């Protein structure tokens, strides 16, 4: 059974449909990545799943039960790590964790014990008594994560938990999340960092303008663009239209075109050497052709016509 199931989730603000009929599910021991640029609808989706916003349409199920049938029961199952830090700067790391443990319903003794466990797991024990305002950005992010874990949630919602921190701090947080997954926790992970989604998530949903455009494993998403057969051609493509080349659109799908590069995916199960021969015979002066495995950014370009960071 899925720990989280979202069906047709929709939210409108005035004339803007921030989330448009989004559906997906997350199973125990799975990290589901919701990937998209800023403003794609990721945070609004998290807010509706956690009960901060009531959806205009659709349904959220937590451990098989409708969220709004018993919101308090659903919230006891989940932990939420918002993109904006939800910690008290004047309090110490230990005090923050114990406070949020009590807010989650733990007894004082249990909150203290659990806080100590998390401080050790998050490598914060040595700074546990220091005010959070003296922490680095990465340390604050770790405390923010710990505050959602006091009650040992089975479902964890992470809204861009590594935004704005250095690479080493990011690696530490990602490794901790992998350990949570190994313990059976279901994780919904929103990000606009390609490398995080590619290495961390078992399944990925690509969202833009509030709509879920595609989902699947990394391999399944890559197969949308012809598996291993993505070609990048270097040439002068100014004032050149691939549509004018006879039969080209029947044999290749254009992913991206600039003045110097043309990225295309082969259509059909053809040998790469055959594709390469065809590309070298194009009616332009080809400088170089590179064969590569499609990335998530290539998939996003094919679906939306723009890069993830735009």
């Amino acid at each position: 059974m899925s720990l989280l199931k979202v069906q047709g989730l929709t939210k409108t603000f005035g004339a803007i449909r921030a989330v448009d009929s989004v559906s997906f599910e997350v199973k125990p021991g799975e990290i589901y990545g919701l990937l998209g640029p800023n403003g794609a609808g990721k945070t609004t989706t998290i807010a509706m799943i956690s009960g901060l916003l009531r959806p205009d349409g659709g349904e959220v199920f937590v451990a098989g039960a409708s969220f709004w049938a018993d919101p308090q029961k659903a919230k006891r199952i989940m932990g939420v790590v918002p993109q904006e830090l939800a910690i008290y700067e004047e309090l110490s790391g230990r005090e923050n964790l114990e406070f949020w443990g009590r807010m989650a319903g733990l007894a004082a003794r249990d909150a203290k014990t659990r806080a100590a466990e998390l401080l050790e797991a998050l490598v914060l024990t040595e700074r546990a008594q220091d005010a959070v305002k003296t922490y680095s950005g990465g340390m604050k992010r770790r405390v923010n994560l710990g505050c959602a874990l006091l009650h040992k949630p089975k479902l964890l919602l992470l809204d861009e938990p590594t935004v704005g921190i250095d690479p080493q701090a990011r690696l530490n947080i990602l490794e901790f999340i992998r350990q949570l997954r190994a313990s059976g926790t279901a994780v919904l992970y929103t990000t606009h960092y390609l490398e995080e989604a590619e290495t961390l998530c078992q399944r990925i949903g690509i969202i833009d303008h509030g709509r879920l455009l595609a989902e699947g494993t990394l391999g399944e998403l890559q197969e949308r663009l012809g598996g291993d057969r993505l070609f990048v051609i270097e040439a002068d493509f100014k004032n050149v239209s691939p549509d004018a080349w006879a039969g080209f659109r029947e044999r290749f799908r254009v992913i991206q075109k600039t003045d110097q590069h043309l990225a295309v995916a082969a259509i059909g199960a053809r040998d790469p050497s055959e594709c390469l021969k065809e590309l070298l015979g194009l009616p332009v002066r080809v400088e170089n052709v590179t064969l590569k495995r499609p990335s998530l950014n290539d998939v996003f370009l094919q679906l939306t016509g723009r890069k993830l960071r735009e």
Side-chain angles (χ1 to χ4, degrees), residues 23-38:
S23 300
F24 60 85
E25 57 186 279
V26 188
K27 299 176 182 178
E30 178 182 44
I31 302 175
Y32 183 98
L34 195 59
L35 180 69
N38 292 328

Side-chain angles (χ1 to χ4, degrees), residues 67-304:
F67 179 95
W68 291 103
D70 191 343
Q72 293 308 313
K73 180 180 179 181
K75 289 178 181 179
R76 286 194 293 270
I77 295 172
M78 69 173 66
V80 183
V81 181
Q83 186 177 145
E84 299 298 328
L85 294 173
I87 50 179
Y88 294 96
E89 297 269 340
E90 299 300 323
L91 298 181
S92 68
R94 185 183 302 279
E95 289 168 336
N96 267 281
L97 290 174
E98 291 182 8
F99 170 79
W100 286 109
R102 296 301 305 277
M103 290 292 289
L106 299 184
R109 178 180 295 179
D110 293 336
K112 186 173 183 178
T113 300
R114 180 66 175 147
E117 293 173 358
L118 286 168
L119 286 165
E120 183 174 354
L122 292 164
V123 196
L124 290 169
T125 303
E126 290 186 4
R127 298 289 305 277
Q129 302 303 122
D130 299 340
V132 166
K133 65 182 179 182
T134 67
Y135 287 9
S136 67
M139 292 173 68
K140 289 178 181 180
R141 286 286 171 189
R142 277 182 276 162
V143 173
N144 203 44
L145 175 59
C147 288
L149 298 172
L150 270 297
H151 60 301
K152 299 182 179 180
K154 297 177 181 178
L155 170 64
L156 186 62
L157 312 181
L158 300 175
D159 190 8
E160 303 206 29
T162 63
V163 67
I165 61 176
D166 64 82
Q168 185 58 52
R170 177 176 290 118
L171 289 174
N172 291 338
I173 289 177
L174 295 182
E175 181 55 36
F176 186 79
I177 295 169
R178 288 189 183 94
Q179 294 171 13
L180 290 174
R181 179 220 164 202
S183 70
T185 305
V187 180
L188 174 60
Y189 191 96
T190 79
T191 184
H192 62 268
Y193 291 121
L194 286 166
E195 65 278 7
E196 288 186 1
E198 287 180 328
T199 62
L200 187 68
C201 304
Q202 284 67 61
R203 288 190 303 126
I204 298 163
I206 295 178
I207 188 172
D208 191 31
H209 298 302
R211 294 187 64 86
L212 194 67
L213 303 175
E215 73 167 358
T217 65
L218 177 59
E220 288 168 345
L221 292 172
Q222 289 169 327
E223 283 298 322
R224 291 177 64 99
L225 298 185
D228 292 321
R229 292 169 292 113
L230 187 68
F231 299 87
V232 180
I233 308 139
E234 297 178 29
D236 183 0
F237 291 108
K238 291 180 182 177
N239 304 316
V240 172
S241 174
D243 290 329
W245 301 331
F248 184 78
R249 286 285 186 172
E250 287 71 41
R251 302 193 307 276
F252 296 95
R253 183 187 305 116
V254 175
I255 308 304
Q256 184 185 34
K257 177 182 174 295
T258 68
D259 289 344
Q260 292 81 35
H261 297 88
L262 180 67
V264 299
I267 296 174
R270 293 185 290 144
D271 189 272
S273 61
E274 176 188 346
C275 299
L276 181 59
K277 184 178 179 180
E278 292 178 11
L279 293 171
L280 290 172
L282 292 177
V284 292
R285 184 177 176 180
V286 176
E287 301 290 340
N288 188 40
V289 180
T290 303
L291 174 64
K292 70 166 189 171
R293 187 164 181 78
S295 68
L296 280 177
N297 195 48
D298 295 320
V299 176
F300 197 84
L301 278 167
Q302 190 263 327
L303 291 168
T304 70

